[in-house]
Amino acid sequence: MARSRPSRPRSGRAAALVLLLLLGGCADVGGEGGGTGARVRAVLDARGGAVRAQDRAAWLATTAPGAARERAGTVFANLDALRPSAWSYRVTSVRPEGDRAAVRATLSYRVQGYDSAPVTVARALTLRRVSGRWYVSADKPAPGASQQLWEQGRMTVVRGADSLVLGVGQSRGKLADVAALADDAVPAVRRVWPERWAGRLIVLLPASLDRMAALLGQKPADYRGIAAVTTGELGSAAHVPADRVTVNPEAYEELGPFGKRFVLIHEATHVATRSATTAGTPLWLSEGFADWTGYHGSGRTPRQVAPELAEAVREGEAPTALPTDADFAFAGDPDELARAYEGGWLACRMIAERWGEPKLRDFYRVVGEHEGREGAVAAAARRVLGVSEGELVGRWRGYVREQLA
């Protein structure tokens, strides 16, 4: 999810001629659905070429007349504003049914300047034959796949210095405010994570919580009260698509200026540390480190940052173990979720205070370098901090009581 832009489109007349050859003059070749499969692939090839060439007429020429063409016009306007540097379909199956064909395909695209590898999404398309030519009449997420923001209505694109903010149902002014906070988040994260990373953010701002959930392929209830979520692939930043920060507009709007700034820094931290985060990294560390970065230099006290955990300590229910990954489930008890985040933050704060910030960064990296989850924290604690995992947890338990009693 290439850096290079394709050449500008040839003249509209020449492009239209190529399109007619693709749609009407394609020889019957083997493959899915015989000749139908070849014609379907030709239509989708032309569709991808239209996006890359920013040619609206060519895009609409691949779309069935009527309501489908009207919807396709909105989608093209969104893609034209986004300006993807790559866009192509790989057909995986074609099922002809008379003058219709049900098609499954993998869409690959890249956002120039952000994605170092293709974003791939599964699509379910319907093509219809009219007067001997095939047209796309529907292009939707395949079952189990999530929606894309450009499908949710007219999209506004705001480009910041280090951010790309995409919104549907949001004013340009609000998106510009988010872009400004995202631009400020990049140097804030660099100050505490000076490792090499792209230093650029893609932020998605849908119209509602329901629309946010559709982008993530989850139930809306799972994200109620969650201000933002970062999604991405683990691995080297040079070989994966850019992370997407998806904002819940309902929860985000309830935050004050500090809260909104904190959210963007927290999510930017996940983007920055992505290449050092692996299956061996527990959530208490990845979420705790992101919170630690967000609160870094704010002057906020542990009791201000960890009110739920402070109440548990006062009631004699101080935690005895670091939070598990299950404690971070969005759909679980909100108080337990808050205590999990607070516990992870206090663990990272303790390491930074007692061993130093460079050691906290080293600890994060070494945990991620361990093969598998089992023993990752123990190995990093011994190698970086010079203590056993049990000693680390014991010191954290004491630190929680000391800071919150």
Side-chain angles (χ1 to χ4, degrees):
M1 322 174 295
R3 297 286 184 184
S4 60
R5 288 286 298 165
S7 58
R8 294 298 300 169
R10 65 198 83 192
S11 72
R13 185 174 180 181
L17 176 60
V18 170
L19 187 65
L20 289 176
L21 290 172
L22 286 170
L23 299 182
C26 203
D28 286 353
V29 297
E32 304 93 336
T36 300
R39 291 171 186 266
V40 163
R41 287 191 293 273
V43 172
L44 297 186
D45 286 346
R47 198 169 178 83
V51 174
R52 297 191 300 273
Q54 297 177 268
D55 190 334
R56 176 185 173 87
W59 168 270
L60 294 179
T62 67
T63 308
R69 188 164 290 182
E70 183 177 341
R71 289 193 298 272
T74 299
V75 169
F76 184 84
N78 293 341
L79 298 180
D80 197 39
L82 182 60
R83 300 197 298 271
S85 59
W87 187 281
S88 62
Y89 298 87
R90 181 176 63 84
V91 176
T92 56
S93 69
V94 177
R95 191 175 73 249
E97 299 171 349
D99 285 336
R100 293 182 180 273
V103 179
R104 293 293 174 86
T106 299
L107 167 64
S108 298
Y109 74 92
R110 298 186 191 190
V111 176
Q112 187 174 19
Y114 291 86
D115 294 324
S116 55
V119 179
T120 58
V121 291
R123 306 294 293 178
L125 301 97
T126 302
L127 274 76
R128 182 158 57 95
R129 183 165 53 193
V130 179
S131 301
R133 292 183 188 162
W134 288 95
Y135 300 90
V136 174
S137 58
D139 183 350
K140 301 177 180 179
S146 56
Q147 256 188 351
Q148 302 298 307
L149 188 64
W150 61 72
E151 300 178 272
Q152 295 188 347
R154 184 58 65 111
M155 188 172 75
T156 302
V157 178
V158 172
R159 300 174 190 276
D162 295 308
S163 62
L164 179 65
V165 181
L166 317 176
V168 171
Q170 308 291 343
S171 69
R172 180 171 289 275
K174 181 182 293 186
L175 299 181
D177 289 343
V178 172
L181 289 173
D183 287 345
D184 288 344
V186 171
V189 172
R190 284 196 191 280
R191 283 193 288 272
V192 298
W193 185 262
E195 315 302 320
R196 185 176 178 182
W197 65 290
R200 312 202 77 192
L201 300 176
I202 296 180
V203 184
L204 312 181
L205 199 66
S208 66
L209 170 61
D210 287 352
R211 294 298 183 90
M212 174 200 187
L215 294 177
L216 299 171
Q218 303 293 333
K219 297 179 293 186
D222 291 349
Y223 295 98
R224 197 174 306 280
I226 303 299
V229 174
T230 295
T231 55
E233 298 178 21
L234 301 181
S236 169
H239 301 99
V240 295
D243 292 353
R244 268 58 171 168
V245 177
T246 304
V247 173
N248 173 358
E250 297 171 16
Y252 184 79
E253 275 307 299
E254 294 179 0
L255 300 173
F258 176 84
K260 291 177 179 177
R261 178 179 182 275
F262 170 84
V263 164
L264 269 299
I265 293 176
H266 176 106
E267 302 305 331
T269 304
H270 285 313
V271 177
T273 58
R274 190 255 321 272
S275 61
T277 306
T278 67
T281 308
L283 288 177
W284 71 259
L285 180 56
S286 59
E287 296 298 339
F289 188 87
D291 271 5
W292 177 76
T293 305
Y295 287 117
H296 193 273
S298 70
R300 302 212 166 190
T301 67
R303 290 185 184 180
Q304 290 175 311
V305 173
E308 295 295 334
L309 207 51
E311 183 178 352
V313 170
R314 287 194 300 270
E315 294 178 354
E317 298 177 357
T320 59
L322 286 164
T324 66
D325 283 7
D327 294 330
F328 287 89
F330 289 158
D333 179 82
D335 292 340
E336 290 183 5
L337 178 61
R339 288 192 289 272
Y341 274 88
E342 293 166 5
W345 170 71
L346 279 167
C348 290
R349 186 176 190 265
M350 179 195 72
I351 294 171
E353 281 188 0
R354 298 193 173 176
W355 283 276
E357 293 183 12
K359 288 291 187 181
L360 173 59
R361 292 190 288 269
D362 290 345
F363 179 78
Y364 194 104
R365 281 194 302 270
V366 172
V367 167
E369 291 169 359
H370 195 272
E371 292 186 9
R373 170 65 61 89
E374 191 68 29
V377 171
R382 178 64 67 187
R383 175 177 160 187
V384 177
L385 308 179
V387 297
S388 68
E389 183 176 10
E391 288 175 295
L392 176 64
V393 174
R395 292 192 186 194
W396 170 78
R397 285 199 303 262
Y399 186 78
V400 168
R401 291 192 295 270
E402 169 194 310
Q403 297 293 317
L404 301 178

